[in-house]
Structure formats: C-alpha cells, structure tokens
C-alpha cells in the first residue's frame, strides 16, 4: 500500500495527529510511533545541517 517506509511513517503520523485518538499528546505519540517504524525498517531522520557534516 505504501511505496516506502517514509510514506508509511508519514501516513501514520498524519493519522494520529488528525484523528486525535487520545485526549492529549497526539503529536508526541505520532512522532514516537513514526520514529519506531523508521527504526524498525532501518531508516533514520537527520537534520540537513547534520547531514552536511556527516557526508
């Protein structure tokens, strides 16, 4: 259904933020779930400045 783990993570965080399944902390929960999914699929997020330092 999703071509890459990035697309799946984006759909997951969007769903958790828009649907508000919890009374509070929807953004934090969405971010943590997105990070867990990306870590599980061997992907990582890196800030542009850090990427320039490490490349």
């Amino acid at each position: 259904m999703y071509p890459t783990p990035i697309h799946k993570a984006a759909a997951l965080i969007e769903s958790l933020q828009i649907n508000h399944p919890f009374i509070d902390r929807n953004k934090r929960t969405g971010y943590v779930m997105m990070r867990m999914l990306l870590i599980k699929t061997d992907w990582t997020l890196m800030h542009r400045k850090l990427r320039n330092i490490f490349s």
Side-chain angles (χ1 to χ4, degrees), residues 2-17:
Y2 302 102
T4 67
I6 298 293
H7 288 92
K8 188 172 186 175
L12 175 66
I13 195 170
E14 179 186 33
S15 176
L16 285 170
Q17 289 182 4

Side-chain angles (χ1 to χ4, degrees), residues 12-40:
L12 175 66
I13 195 170
E14 179 186 33
S15 176
L16 285 170
Q17 289 182 4
I18 290 175
N19 294 322
H20 297 283
F22 308 113
I23 294 171
D24 195 13
R25 296 177 173 49
N26 290 297
K27 289 180 186 175
R28 286 183 216 141
T29 303
Y31 177 78
V32 169
M33 294 301 296
M34 177 191 67
R35 293 283 294 157
M36 289 176 61
L37 182 118
L38 291 174
I39 289 169
K40 181 179 173 184

